[in-house]
Amino acid sequence: MHIQDKIQLIPGDLLDQQSLTSAVTQSDPDEIYNLAAQSFVATSWSQPVLTGEFTALGVTRMLEAVRQIKPKAKFYQASSSEMFGKVHETPQSETTPFHPRSPYGVGKVYGHWITINYRESYDMFAVSGILFNHESPRRGLEFVTRKISHNVAKIHLKLQDSFILGNLEAKRDWGFSGDYVEAMWMMLQQDKPDDYVIAMGENHSVKEFVKEAFKVIGVSSWEEHVKTSSEFMRPAEVDFLIGDATKAKEVLGWKPKVDFKTLVKMMVEEDISLLKKNSK
Ligand code: F7E
């Protein structure tokens, strides 16, 4: 059975208070996970106001719906390592100061603090999970990991010969979304609401991700297939992120199962089978 057949969708829009209030009324939830946002960092420069409406004020609208209709429900806010931006310390933990570098990051800082504010103002069970980059074969094609796995799969199947990226030197602490979703759930099973960093504690450059992806298809001369262009560079970059998830490991008992190499292999192999299936 497909996951779509096991869930019931109720429409709601972070820009429309009434639709959120009515979605909470209809679903009468025990747990609410706010994963919605304008989440593509690059777009946040071309649509900064819209990004603020969704990513920042949208959190307040969601919290208001919960406060008015189901204040006893547990609420999870998807905060982001992009809040650390131009990092003030390494590795980054729950106590590291924020220095966001994009309208998206700025919006997420607002979402983080409004969640804490509702917890403190109304005694709601509201938590903020500060998740570092988490990836899977379901990632959108605009994000760098999936862009790489999809294009490497195409090269393997001889559907193209090269593709274009932006900054290859940026470093991210990449983990597997499945492991990270488990951490979100664990946060809501605690007796007390609190905020947690979720990360692998190791980082890799975009270039290393590319090399590893080409390794999966047995190609070592990756430079012949990858070009770079300023089109994919950002006005302000987040150069280096690495998280410290000690608190989540100690308090929640969280333990990720998928490491970097396994993640890259999973994504490339899944894209190869998807392309094969779609060509039939
Ligand atoms: O970029 C560099 C780019 O777009 C990663 C979102 O889920 O994680 C994600 O944000 C890095 C950046 O993710 C290309 O400059 C190089 O340094 O995959 P990304 P992100 O910006 O880190 C955080 C935790 C979130 O919260 C966000 O919602 O890769 N890069 N060349 C490129 N990035 C893209 N997209 N495309 C390129 O061609």
Side-chain angles (χ1 to χ4, degrees):
M1 202 194 229
H2 264 284
I3 191 150
Q4 290 98 309
D5 302 321
K6 294 189 201 163
I7 55 176
Q8 187 195 346
L9 295 176
I10 299 170
D13 192 314
L14 284 183
L15 264 49
D16 184 326
Q17 183 71 59
Q18 179 53 38
S19 72
L20 301 176
T21 308
S22 111
V24 174
T25 307
Q26 274 185 65
S27 57
D28 188 30
D30 298 315
E31 296 178 5
I32 296 165
Y33 296 83
N34 180 35
L35 313 186
Q38 190 304 98
S39 69
F40 187 40
V41 174
T43 294
S44 74
W45 278 281
S46 56
Q47 299 185 339
V49 175
L50 190 70
T51 299
E53 285 287 352
F54 279 115
T55 308
L57 281 179
V59 187
T60 312
R61 294 191 192 99
M62 202 58 239
L63 282 161
E64 265 306 295
V66 181
R67 183 180 76 83
Q68 289 172 25
I69 308 296
K70 192 85 195 276
K72 290 282 167 226
K74 293 181 170 182
F75 179 82
Y76 173 88
Q77 166 59 16
S79 288
S80 164
S81 52
E82 283 295 298
M83 301 191 303
F84 298 123
K86 195 170 165 60
V87 297
H88 287 209
E89 66 179 2
T90 295
Q92 296 85 51
S93 74
E94 293 79 7
T95 54
T96 303
F98 300 137
H99 188 150
R101 293 273 279 171
S102 61
Y104 168 81
V106 173
K108 281 288 174 186
V109 171
Y110 175 95
H112 175 77
W113 281 111
I114 199 71
T115 302
I116 293 173
N117 180 260
Y118 269 57
R119 179 165 82 215
E120 294 176 353
S121 304
Y122 304 114
D123 200 22
M124 283 165 59
F125 193 110
V127 311
S128 166
I130 307 174
L131 271 51
F132 281 62
N133 298 53
H134 39 291
E135 316 292 321
S136 88
R138 294 181 187 171
R139 191 55 140 154
L141 288 167
E142 68 274 35
F143 296 93
V144 80
T145 54
R146 181 78 200 290
K147 183 172 173 184
I148 296 167
S149 65
H150 174 76
N151 282 287
V152 167
K154 275 186 156 174
I155 291 170
H156 176 64
L157 297 172
K158 311 229 177 316
L159 298 170
Q160 66 181 39
D161 188 52
S162 65
F163 63 102
I164 307 170
L165 290 171
N167 178 11
L168 299 184
E169 304 306 327
K171 287 193 158 185
R172 289 291 183 277
D173 181 333
W174 280 296
F176 172 56
S177 299
D179 286 333
Y180 285 45
V181 168
E182 200 172 1
M184 294 177 194
W185 177 81
M186 285 170 146
M187 288 178 213
L188 295 201
Q189 310 316 308
Q190 303 306 302
D191 293 333
K192 275 199 200 141
D194 203 352
D195 311 317
Y196 299 88
V197 158
I198 301 297
M200 299 298 284
E202 68 173 59
N203 67 8
H204 300 271
S205 63
V206 172
K207 194 189 283 174
E208 282 169 68
F209 197 105
V210 170
K211 269 192 210 170
E212 199 57 43
F214 274 100
K215 224 192 254 177
V216 177
I217 60 161
V219 171
S220 55
S221 56
W222 64 271
E223 287 101 329
E224 291 170 16
H225 304 281
V226 178
K227 299 180 175 71
T228 55
S229 161
S230 56
E231 187 194 336
F232 297 109
M233 309 273 183
R234 297 175 178 181
E237 179 63 288
V238 171
D239 298 312
F240 184 99
L241 289 175
I242 184 163
D244 174 2
T246 306
K247 181 175 166 186
K249 287 179 181 162
E250 288 180 1
V251 180
L252 306 176
W254 179 69
K255 202 168 179 265
K257 298 176 195 78
V258 178
D259 66 10
F260 177 70
K261 284 189 179 185
T262 313
L263 174 65
V264 180
K265 191 166 181 286
M266 177 203 296
M267 290 182 73
V268 173
E269 287 177 348
E270 194 63 30
D271 267 319
I272 293 173
S273 23
L274 197 67
L275 285 167
K276 280 186 181 165
K277 206 162 82 189
N278 290 345
S279 72
K280 274 183 193 157

Coordinates of all heavy atoms in Angstrom, one line a residue, residues 38-97:
Q38 N 8.9 28.3 2.7 CA 9.6 28.5 1.4 C 11.0 28.1 1.8 O 11.7 28.9 2.4 CB 9.5 30.0 1.0 CG 9.9 30.2 -0.5 CD 11.3 29.8 -0.7 OE1 11.6 28.7 -1.3 NE2 12.3 30.6 -0.4
S39 N 11.4 26.9 1.4 CA 12.6 26.3 2.0 C 13.8 26.3 1.1 O 14.9 25.9 1.5 CB 12.3 24.9 2.5 OG 12.1 24.1 1.4
F40 N 13.7 26.8 -0.1 CA 14.9 26.9 -1.0 C 15.6 28.2 -0.7 O 15.1 29.3 -1.1 CB 14.4 26.7 -2.4 CG 15.6 26.5 -3.4 CD1 16.7 25.8 -3.0 CD2 15.6 27.1 -4.6 CE1 17.8 25.6 -3.9 CE2 16.6 27.0 -5.5 CZ 17.7 26.2 -5.1
V41 N 16.8 28.1 -0.2 CA 17.6 29.3 0.2 C 17.8 30.2 -0.9 O 17.6 31.4 -0.8 CB 18.9 28.8 0.9 CG1 19.8 30.0 1.2 CG2 18.7 28.0 2.1
A42 N 18.2 29.7 -2.1 CA 18.5 30.6 -3.2 C 17.3 31.5 -3.6 O 17.4 32.7 -3.9 CB 18.9 29.7 -4.4
T43 N 16.1 30.9 -3.6 CA 14.9 31.7 -4.0 C 14.6 32.8 -2.9 O 13.9 33.7 -3.3 CB 13.7 30.7 -4.1 OG1 13.9 29.8 -5.2 CG2 12.4 31.4 -4.3
S44 N 15.1 32.6 -1.7 CA 14.7 33.6 -0.7 C 15.3 35.0 -1.0 O 14.8 36.0 -0.5 CB 15.1 33.1 0.7 OG 16.5 33.2 0.9
W45 N 16.3 35.1 -1.9 CA 16.7 36.4 -2.3 C 15.8 37.0 -3.4 O 15.7 38.2 -3.4 CB 18.2 36.4 -2.8 CG 19.2 36.4 -1.7 CD1 19.6 37.4 -1.0 CD2 19.9 35.2 -1.2 NE1 20.6 37.1 -0.1 CE2 20.8 35.7 -0.2 CE3 19.9 33.9 -1.5 CZ2 21.6 34.9 0.5 CZ3 20.8 33.1 -0.8 CH2 21.6 33.5 0.2
S46 N 15.3 36.2 -4.2 CA 14.4 36.7 -5.3 C 13.0 37.0 -4.8 O 12.2 37.8 -5.4 CB 14.4 35.9 -6.6 OG 14.0 34.6 -6.2
Q47 N 12.6 36.3 -3.7 CA 11.2 36.5 -3.1 C 11.4 36.6 -1.6 O 10.8 35.8 -0.8 CB 10.4 35.2 -3.5 CG 10.2 35.0 -5.0 CD 9.3 33.9 -5.3 OE1 9.0 33.0 -4.5 NE2 8.8 34.0 -6.6
P48 N 12.1 37.7 -1.2 CA 12.3 37.8 0.3 C 11.1 38.0 1.1 O 10.9 37.5 2.2 CB 13.3 39.0 0.4 CG 13.0 39.8 -0.9 CD 12.7 38.8 -2.0
V49 N 10.1 38.8 0.6 CA 8.9 39.1 1.4 C 8.0 37.9 1.5 O 7.5 37.5 2.6 CB 8.1 40.3 0.8 CG1 6.8 40.5 1.5 CG2 9.0 41.6 0.8
L50 N 7.8 37.2 0.3 CA 7.0 35.9 0.3 C 7.7 34.9 1.3 O 7.0 34.2 2.0 CB 6.9 35.4 -1.1 CG 5.9 34.2 -1.2 CD1 4.5 34.8 -1.0 CD2 6.0 33.5 -2.5
T51 N 9.0 34.8 1.2 CA 9.7 33.9 2.1 C 9.4 34.2 3.6 O 9.2 33.3 4.4 CB 11.2 33.9 1.8 OG1 11.5 33.5 0.5 CG2 12.0 33.0 2.8
G52 N 9.4 35.5 3.9 CA 9.1 35.9 5.3 C 7.7 35.6 5.7 O 7.4 35.2 6.8
E53 N 6.7 35.7 4.7 CA 5.3 35.4 5.0 C 5.2 34.0 5.4 O 4.5 33.6 6.3 CB 4.4 35.7 3.8 CG 4.2 37.2 3.6 CD 3.2 37.8 4.6 OE1 2.6 37.0 5.4 OE2 3.1 39.0 4.6
F54 N 5.8 33.1 4.6 CA 5.7 31.6 4.8 C 6.5 31.2 6.0 O 6.1 30.5 6.9 CB 6.1 30.8 3.6 CG 5.1 30.7 2.5 CD1 5.3 31.3 1.3 CD2 3.9 30.0 2.7 CE1 4.3 31.2 0.3 CE2 3.0 29.9 1.7 CZ 3.2 30.5 0.5
T55 N 7.8 31.5 5.9 CA 8.8 30.9 6.7 C 8.9 31.5 8.1 O 9.2 30.8 9.1 CB 10.2 31.0 6.0 OG1 10.1 30.4 4.7 CG2 11.3 30.2 6.8
A56 N 8.5 32.8 8.2 CA 8.5 33.5 9.5 C 7.1 33.6 10.1 O 6.7 32.8 11.0 CB 9.2 34.8 9.4
L57 N 6.3 34.5 9.4 CA 4.9 34.7 10.0 C 4.0 33.5 9.9 O 3.1 33.3 10.7 CB 4.2 35.9 9.2 CG 4.7 37.2 9.6 CD1 4.0 38.3 8.8 CD2 4.4 37.5 11.1
G58 N 4.3 32.6 8.9 CA 3.5 31.3 8.8 C 3.5 30.5 10.1 O 2.6 29.9 10.5
V59 N 4.7 30.6 10.8 CA 4.8 29.9 12.1 C 3.9 30.4 13.1 O 3.2 29.7 13.9 CB 6.3 29.9 12.6 CG1 6.4 29.0 13.8 CG2 7.2 29.5 11.5
T60 N 3.8 31.8 13.2 CA 2.8 32.4 14.1 C 1.4 32.0 13.8 O 0.6 31.7 14.7 CB 3.0 33.9 14.1 OG1 4.3 34.3 14.1 CG2 2.2 34.6 15.2
R61 N 1.1 32.0 12.5 CA -0.3 31.6 12.2 C -0.6 30.2 12.6 O -1.7 29.9 13.1 CB -0.5 31.8 10.6 CG -0.4 33.2 10.2 CD -0.9 33.3 8.7 NE -0.6 34.7 8.2 CZ 0.5 34.9 7.5 NH1 1.3 34.0 7.1 NH2 0.8 36.2 7.1
M62 N 0.4 29.3 12.4 CA 0.2 27.9 12.8 C 0.0 27.8 14.3 O -0.9 27.1 14.9 CB 1.4 27.1 12.3 CG 1.3 25.7 12.2 SD 0.0 25.2 11.0 CE -1.0 24.2 12.1
L63 N 0.9 28.5 15.1 CA 0.9 28.5 16.5 C -0.5 29.1 17.0 O -1.0 28.6 18.0 CB 2.0 29.3 17.1 CG 3.4 28.6 17.1 CD1 4.5 29.5 17.2 CD2 3.5 27.5 18.2
E64 N -1.0 30.1 16.4 CA -2.2 30.7 16.8 C -3.4 29.7 16.6 O -4.3 29.6 17.4 CB -2.5 32.0 15.9 CG -2.1 33.3 16.6 CD -2.7 33.4 18.0 OE1 -3.9 33.5 18.2 OE2 -1.9 33.4 19.0
A65 N -3.3 29.0 15.5 CA -4.4 28.0 15.2 C -4.4 26.9 16.4 O -5.4 26.6 16.9 CB -4.2 27.3 13.9
V66 N -3.2 26.5 16.7 CA -3.0 25.5 17.8 C -3.5 26.1 19.1 O -4.3 25.5 19.9 CB -1.6 25.0 17.9 CG1 -1.5 23.9 19.0 CG2 -1.1 24.5 16.6
R67 N -3.1 27.3 19.4 CA -3.4 27.9 20.7 C -5.0 28.1 20.8 O -5.5 27.8 21.9 CB -2.8 29.3 20.8 CG -3.0 30.0 22.1 CD -2.3 31.4 22.2 NE -3.1 32.4 21.4 CZ -4.1 33.1 21.8 NH1 -4.5 32.9 23.1 NH2 -4.7 34.0 21.1
Q68 N -5.6 28.5 19.7 CA -7.0 28.7 19.8 C -7.9 27.5 19.8 O -8.9 27.4 20.5 CB -7.5 29.6 18.6 CG -7.0 31.0 18.8 CD -7.3 31.9 17.5 OE1 -8.2 31.6 16.7 NE2 -6.4 32.9 17.3
I69 N -7.4 26.4 19.1 CA -8.3 25.3 18.9 C -7.8 24.1 19.7 O -8.7 23.4 20.3 CB -8.3 24.8 17.4 CG1 -8.6 26.0 16.5 CG2 -9.2 23.6 17.1 CD1 -10.0 26.6 16.7
K70 N -6.5 23.8 19.8 CA -6.1 22.6 20.5 C -4.8 22.9 21.2 O -3.7 22.4 20.9 CB -5.9 21.5 19.4 CG -5.6 20.1 20.0 CD -6.9 19.3 20.2 CE -6.7 18.1 21.1 NZ -6.3 16.9 20.5
P71 N -4.9 23.7 22.3 CA -3.6 24.2 23.0 C -2.9 23.1 23.7 O -1.7 23.2 24.0 CB -4.2 25.2 24.0 CG -5.6 24.9 24.1 CD -6.1 24.4 22.8
K72 N -3.5 21.9 23.9 CA -2.8 20.8 24.5 C -2.1 19.9 23.5 O -1.3 19.0 23.9 CB -3.8 19.9 25.3 CG -4.4 20.6 26.5 CD -3.4 20.5 27.7 CE -3.8 21.5 28.8 NZ -2.8 22.3 29.3
A73 N -2.2 20.2 22.2 CA -1.5 19.4 21.2 C 0.0 19.7 21.3 O 0.4 20.9 21.6 CB -2.0 19.7 19.8
K74 N 0.8 18.7 20.9 CA 2.3 19.0 20.9 C 2.7 19.5 19.6 O 2.2 19.0 18.5 CB 3.0 17.7 21.2 CG 2.8 17.2 22.7 CD 3.5 16.0 23.0 CE 3.4 15.6 24.5 NZ 4.2 14.4 24.8
F75 N 3.5 20.6 19.6 CA 3.9 21.3 18.3 C 5.4 21.2 18.1 O 6.2 21.5 18.9 CB 3.4 22.8 18.5 CG 3.7 23.6 17.2 CD1 2.9 23.6 16.1 CD2 4.9 24.4 17.2 CE1 3.2 24.3 15.0 CE2 5.2 25.1 16.1 CZ 4.3 25.1 15.0
Y76 N 5.7 20.8 16.8 CA 7.1 20.8 16.4 C 7.3 21.8 15.3 O 6.6 21.8 14.3 CB 7.5 19.4 15.8 CG 8.8 19.3 15.2 CD1 9.9 19.0 16.0 CD2 9.1 19.6 13.9 CE1 11.2 19.0 15.5 CE2 10.3 19.6 13.3 CZ 11.4 19.3 14.1 OH 12.7 19.3 13.6
Q77 N 8.4 22.7 15.5 CA 8.7 23.6 14.5 C 10.1 23.2 13.9 O 11.0 22.9 14.6 CB 8.9 25.0 15.1 CG 9.6 26.1 14.3 CD 8.9 26.3 12.9 OE1 7.7 25.9 12.6 NE2 9.6 26.9 12.0
A78 N 10.1 23.1 12.5 CA 11.3 22.8 11.8 C 12.2 24.0 11.7 O 12.1 24.8 10.8 CB 10.9 22.3 10.4
S79 N 13.1 24.1 12.7 CA 14.1 25.1 12.6 C 15.3 24.6 11.8 O 15.3 23.4 11.4 CB 14.5 25.6 14.0 OG 13.5 26.4 14.5
S80 N 16.3 25.4 11.5 CA 17.3 25.0 10.5 C 18.7 25.5 10.9 O 18.9 26.5 11.5 CB 16.9 25.7 9.2 OG 18.0 25.7 8.3
S81 N 19.7 24.7 10.5 CA 21.1 25.1 10.7 C 21.4 26.3 9.9 O 22.5 27.0 10.2 CB 22.0 23.9 10.2 OG 21.7 23.5 8.9
E82 N 20.6 26.7 8.9 CA 20.8 28.0 8.2 C 20.8 29.2 9.2 O 21.2 30.3 8.8 CB 19.8 28.2 7.1 CG 20.1 27.3 5.9 CD 21.4 27.7 5.2 OE1 21.5 28.9 4.7 OE2 22.3 26.9 5.1
M83 N 20.2 29.0 10.4 CA 20.2 30.1 11.4 C 21.6 30.4 11.8 O 21.8 31.5 12.3 CB 19.3 29.7 12.5 CG 17.8 29.4 12.1 SD 16.7 29.2 13.5 CE 17.5 27.9 14.5
F84 N 22.5 29.4 11.8 CA 23.9 29.7 12.3 C 24.7 30.5 11.2 O 25.6 31.2 11.6 CB 24.6 28.4 12.6 CG 23.9 27.6 13.7 CD1 23.5 26.3 13.5 CD2 23.7 28.2 15.0 CE1 22.8 25.6 14.6 CE2 23.1 27.5 16.0 CZ 22.7 26.2 15.8
G85 N 24.4 30.2 10.0 CA 25.0 31.0 8.9 C 26.5 31.2 8.9 O 27.3 30.3 8.7
K86 N 26.9 32.5 9.2 CA 28.3 32.8 9.3 C 28.7 32.4 10.8 O 28.5 33.2 11.7 CB 28.5 34.3 9.1 CG 29.9 34.7 8.8 CD 29.8 36.2 8.4 CE 31.2 36.9 8.4 NZ 32.2 36.3 7.6
V87 N 29.1 31.2 10.9 CA 29.1 30.6 12.3 C 30.0 31.3 13.3 O 31.1 31.8 13.0 CB 29.5 29.1 12.2 CG1 28.5 28.3 11.4 CG2 31.0 28.9 11.7
H88 N 29.5 31.4 14.5 CA 30.2 32.0 15.6 C 31.1 31.0 16.4 O 31.9 31.4 17.2 CB 29.2 32.7 16.6 CG 28.7 34.0 15.9 ND1 28.3 35.1 16.7 CD2 28.5 34.4 14.6 CE1 27.9 36.0 15.9 NE2 28.0 35.6 14.6
E89 N 30.8 29.7 16.3 CA 31.6 28.7 16.9 C 31.4 27.4 16.1 O 30.5 27.2 15.4 CB 31.3 28.5 18.4 CG 29.9 28.0 18.7 CD 29.6 27.8 20.2 OE1 30.5 28.1 21.0 OE2 28.5 27.3 20.5
T90 N 32.4 26.5 16.3 CA 32.4 25.2 15.7 C 32.7 24.1 16.7 O 33.7 24.2 17.4 CB 33.4 25.2 14.5 OG1 33.0 26.1 13.5 CG2 33.6 23.8 13.9
P91 N 31.9 23.0 16.7 CA 30.6 22.8 16.0 C 29.5 23.6 16.6 O 29.7 24.2 17.7 CB 30.4 21.3 16.2 CG 31.0 21.0 17.5 CD 32.2 21.9 17.6
Q92 N 28.4 23.7 15.9 CA 27.2 24.5 16.4 C 26.3 23.6 17.3 O 26.0 22.5 16.9 CB 26.4 25.0 15.2 CG 27.2 26.0 14.3 CD 28.1 25.3 13.3 OE1 27.6 24.5 12.6 NE2 29.4 25.6 13.2
S93 N 25.9 24.2 18.4 CA 25.0 23.5 19.3 C 23.8 24.4 19.6 O 23.6 25.4 19.0 CB 25.7 23.1 20.6 OG 25.8 24.3 21.4
E94 N 22.9 23.9 20.6 CA 21.7 24.7 20.9 C 22.1 26.1 21.5 O 21.2 27.0 21.5 CB 20.9 23.9 22.0 CG 20.3 22.6 21.5 CD 21.3 21.4 21.5 OE1 22.5 21.6 21.9 OE2 20.9 20.4 21.0
T95 N 23.3 26.3 22.0 CA 23.7 27.5 22.6 C 24.5 28.5 21.7 O 24.8 29.6 22.1 CB 24.5 27.3 23.9 OG1 25.6 26.5 23.6 CG2 23.6 26.6 25.0
T96 N 24.7 28.0 20.5 CA 25.5 28.8 19.5 C 24.7 30.0 19.1 O 23.5 29.8 18.7 CB 25.9 28.0 18.3 OG1 26.7 26.9 18.8 CG2 26.8 28.8 17.3
P97 N 25.2 31.3 19.1 CA 24.4 32.4 18.6 C 24.1 32.3 17.1 O 24.9 31.7 16.4 CB 25.4 33.6 18.8 CG 26.4 33.1 19.7 CD 26.5 31.6 19.6

